[in-house]
Amino acid sequence: MLRPAALALSIALAAAALPAAAQDHDCVVRQFATAKNVVNLEPVGIVDGIYPPDTERAYAFARLDCSQVGQGGETFWFHWMHNDREVAKSKARVDISHNWRIWSQSRIFPGDWAVLLKDGEGRLQAEQRFVFTKPDDTAPAN
């Protein structure tokens, strides 16, 4: 029977022996924002909480710092939630970089929204919430 210290060492050595693809990534989300657009891999018109009523699409942008990922990169997922129900999901591949940028877009309609960024293991890495309302079409014009 292994003593606790020997057991811990055995576990640590086994983890170190795993192929790179099976180890966790070390990616850190440096920026996560919702925006009106993404141009040249940069968010344009950052939205803080409320999208303008003339908006048709919302964009989610993430800037990651990764110095270790598995062979072939790491997969991240954008989950678009409308009124607590997932309505869209898109994936993005991430590789080693101190400035890796990924983004996703979705058509939006009135309601409460959240965009979740999860890694390939399903762990939440970042979240942004916003509201989108259309102007009342029945209101009289001034």
Side-chain angles (χ1 to χ4, degrees):
M1 178 168 208
L2 291 175
R3 293 182 180 179
L7 180 60
L9 179 58
S10 297
I11 292 170
L13 290 173
L18 291 174
Q23 294 180 0
D24 286 344
H25 63 83
D26 70 344
C27 297
V28 175
V29 178
R30 298 287 182 209
Q31 179 184 12
F32 190 64
T34 50
K36 293 180 185 176
N37 204 346
V38 173
V39 177
N40 295 325
L41 294 174
E42 291 293 337
V44 175
I46 302 245
V47 173
D48 188 24
I50 300 175
Y51 265 86
D54 61 342
T55 305
E56 291 185 18
R57 292 187 176 278
Y59 293 77
F61 172 87
R63 184 181 315 272
L64 298 114
D65 183 346
C66 306
S67 61
Q68 175 184 326
V69 296
Q71 184 176 8
E74 175 71 26
T75 300
F76 278 74
W77 292 90
F78 290 90
H79 297 262
W80 292 87
M81 311 294 290
H82 176 257
N83 295 333
D84 296 323
R85 191 177 133 257
E86 186 173 284
V87 294
K89 179 177 172 181
S90 65
K91 71 178 178 177
R93 192 181 72 71
V94 173
D95 215 330
I96 294 173
S97 172
H98 294 296
N99 190 33
W100 197 273
R101 295 164 289 177
I102 56 177
W103 59 274
S104 176
Q105 66 176 330
S106 178
R107 282 198 178 278
I108 58 173
F109 34 92
D112 295 324
W113 285 85
V115 184
L116 312 176
L117 181 66
K118 295 184 178 183
D119 66 16
E121 298 296 318
R123 295 175 294 216
L124 182 65
Q125 301 294 311
E127 178 177 353
Q128 280 286 333
R129 294 189 170 273
F130 64 91
V131 174
F132 179 64
T133 57
K134 285 281 193 186
D136 185 2
D137 293 332
T138 61
N142 289 335

